[in-house]
Amino acid sequence: MSKLAIDGGAPVRGAPLPPNYPGAVVYGKEEADFASKVIYSQSPFRYYGPNLQGAVEALENAMTSDLGAAYALAVTSGTAALIVAMKALGIGYGDKVIVPANTFLATPGAVVCCNAVPVYCDVDDSLNIDPTDLERVYDEDVKAIIVVPILGNPVDMDPIVAFAKSKHIAVIEDMAQSCGVRYKGRYAGTIGDIGTFSFQMNKIVTSGEGGAVVTNDKKLLERAIRYHDQGILRHRDRYGIDSPDETFAFSGQNYRMSEISGAVMLEQWKKLPDIVGTMKRHHDRIAAALRSEIPEIRFRSCPDPEGAIGSNLGIVFATSEAAALFNKALNAENVQSYVLYGGKPVYMNPSLFHMRTAEKDNFPYNYPFKRPVTVTANMCPRAVDLIPRTAYIPISPILTDRDASDIIEAVVKVHRALRVFA
């Protein structure tokens, strides 16, 4: 038996695998050339300039065409996209929004920034929101559900959409981690009322920062456009919005994407099929090999394996201690593995747990709800249990077949030495 690297043995790999930045690692001449073209045109603002290149508009057009959505609006970040989506839906003070217990803090944070209050739903074996737990956290003040496909794994959307319809509330799909995921043949992000995307540095495709809102509802689009652009509604003819009536205009913020970001993102977007195809091919090969070598291995469940993008291989351990030991040993073999979010549900972030904001009296948490919102450490027990004992191995779009073989060899080596899957 090979000696583990943590015990002084030779690691499986002499150097680490590619870094976990899927879009950034495929940057090339295309992104540089189009960004340079925008700069040399002296027109980095999307709505006017001496020689507009139309990069942001072209990105939006590509997204609608490829995703099969009616409308897309590019914005400055994934967080901005969430805020714009909720403002399009009219969510604000006195409202609650259901969010999954397993997500990045930007999801509930955006709810708070919209002057609403997040309430937390537990997860199922996919590590995504559990549709069977929605009734527990729902009340008459809930106006929307935000679903978040975690690390390339689809959410089971049918029961969530059915629940939302029965309660007459909206479904927001936060696609920050999972651009390219499908559910029953449809692109996730187009299934609910409105979808949001992030193009931040470690996302599937990236411009460093950036995001987008996608919807099939023209009224939501109009409100989103206004909110992201100081309440202004430009280029009405582009969206088929004919009326010049400003009776229902409202104030907004500035979340406009720049032409430089748009240029980079358009070239990144063109690469999305290759990125996803390569990740999924390696993911499925690695998973199949590990099932063969380690029959007792357990992967996180997936409601639609064909729709997953394979960006991360999620392995569920019997205990958090076993997951931590596996991560330590595998990383020593120069194969990255990690537990998400420090092994804790999102509501354990101090600002969310203590319901603190920068506003007076911790607004909007101070709203006198009939059913007060409380946060306790164990209120989502499956999230508390599953998050710290689920390890993720990132699958890069620039992996080689040799790299994939090294991942298989390293996991098997660690298992044979430690029996962490027993």
Side-chain angles (χ1 to χ4, degrees):
M1 182 185 301
S2 299
K3 191 175 184 180
L4 292 178
I6 54 171
D7 295 327
V12 168
R13 291 182 55 85
L17 289 163
N20 190 21
Y21 304 120
V25 297
V26 298
Y27 265 24
K29 189 174 185 297
E30 302 84 6
E31 290 87 350
D33 284 352
F34 199 3
S36 295
K37 188 176 181 181
V38 169
I39 291 169
Y40 285 120
S41 75
Q42 302 176 339
S43 301
F45 181 61
R46 77 162 292 182
Y47 288 117
Y48 52 77
N51 186 17
L52 280 179
Q53 300 301 304
V56 177
E57 185 171 316
L59 169 64
E60 293 169 347
N61 291 343
M63 291 187 69
T64 57
S65 175
D66 293 343
L67 295 174
Y71 309 106
L73 176 69
V75 295
T76 51
S77 70
T79 304
L82 282 167
I83 293 171
V84 168
M86 281 184 274
K87 289 301 183 181
L89 289 163
I91 291 168
Y93 191 52
D95 295 333
K96 298 176 183 176
V97 177
I98 296 172
V99 301
N102 187 30
T103 185
F104 183 56
L105 63 89
T107 309
V111 175
V112 175
C113 289
C114 286
N115 305 325
V117 174
V119 290
Y120 302 95
C121 186
D122 214 341
V123 302
D124 60 20
D125 286 346
S126 70
L127 276 292
N128 293 326
I129 195 167
D130 182 0
T132 67
D133 194 45
L134 290 170
E135 191 68 59
R136 177 184 67 85
V137 296
Y138 173 79
D139 66 23
E140 63 186 11
D141 294 315
V142 170
K143 297 300 187 292
I145 303 165
I146 301 179
V147 300
V148 186
I150 288 294
L151 296 177
N153 203 26
V155 172
D156 192 7
M157 291 297 295
D158 284 350
I160 292 167
V161 170
F163 179 88
K165 286 182 176 178
S166 74
K167 304 298 185 183
H168 306 288
I169 60 177
V171 175
I172 302 168
E173 296 179 84
D174 177 358
M175 299 302 301
Q177 302 179 12
S178 299
C179 185
V181 158
R182 297 175 189 249
Y183 175 77
K184 296 186 176 180
R186 296 177 63 186
Y187 275 108
T190 69
I191 300 168
D193 295 273
I194 197 163
T196 67
F197 292 79
S198 173
F199 306 135
Q200 186 265 346
M201 174 63 182
N202 63 356
K203 301 306 189 287
I204 306 301
V205 284
T206 181
S207 49
E209 288 283 10
V213 176
V214 170
T215 186
N216 292 311
D217 188 317
K218 187 181 289 190
K219 291 182 179 178
L220 292 182
L221 171 75
E222 179 175 344
R223 288 181 58 86
I225 293 169
R226 287 187 183 277
Y227 196 77
H228 106 294
D229 189 17
Q230 312 286 15
I232 302 169
L233 183 59
R234 310 183 204 236
H235 297 183
R236 295 168 186 267
D237 56 339
R238 167 166 165 73
Y239 304 105
I241 301 171
D242 300 323
S243 172
D245 183 12
E246 290 293 303
T247 304
F248 300 105
F250 53 84
S251 297
Q253 300 201 53
N254 173 12
Y255 292 129
R256 300 178 300 250
M257 178 179 278
S258 78
E259 282 284 276
I260 297 172
S261 293
V264 172
M265 269 313 306
L266 179 61
E267 297 305 323
Q268 280 274 288
W269 188 263
K270 294 174 184 176
K271 297 177 181 180
L272 181 61
D274 287 340
I275 291 173
V276 169
T278 302
M279 291 190 305
K280 184 167 179 56
R281 177 173 65 84
H282 285 306
H283 174 281
D284 292 354
R285 176 201 162 197
I286 293 166
L290 292 178
R291 284 192 186 97
S292 176
E293 291 285 343
I294 312 170
E296 60 269 41
I297 197 169
R298 178 186 168 196
F299 300 114
R300 59 175 172 164
S301 68
C302 180
D304 184 355
E306 289 300 313
I309 60 173
S311 60
N312 285 260
L313 182 66
I315 304 173
V316 183
F317 293 81
T319 65
S320 59
E321 291 79 11
L325 181 58
F326 173 81
N327 287 340
K328 181 179 179 181
L330 200 66
N331 277 280
E333 304 294 335
N334 277 319
V335 173
Q336 184 185 2
S337 180
Y338 63 98
V339 166
L340 199 57
Y341 306 133
K344 296 179 181 179
V346 67
Y347 57 77
M348 292 304 294
N349 179 277
S351 64
L352 299 169
F353 187 77
H354 298 291
M355 296 191 289
R356 290 195 298 259
T357 71
E359 312 302 328
K360 183 178 180 181
D361 299 325
N362 285 323
F363 172 90
Y365 288 112
N366 62 355
Y367 187 85
F369 291 112
K370 292 179 183 177
R371 179 178 166 184
V373 176
T374 58
V375 179
T376 60
N378 295 311
M379 65 184 182
C380 294
R382 286 188 61 74
V384 171
D385 173 47
L386 282 171
I387 295 172
R389 60 186 182 92
T390 303
Y392 296 93
I393 300 173
I395 309 297
S396 172
I398 59 170
L399 281 188
T400 65
D401 288 341
R402 178 68 257 175
D403 293 333
S405 296
D406 287 345
I407 292 173
I408 296 165
E409 180 182 347
V411 173
V412 172
K413 176 184 177 182
V414 168
H415 169 64
R416 287 175 176 167
L418 300 177
R419 292 294 164 183
V420 285
F421 300 113

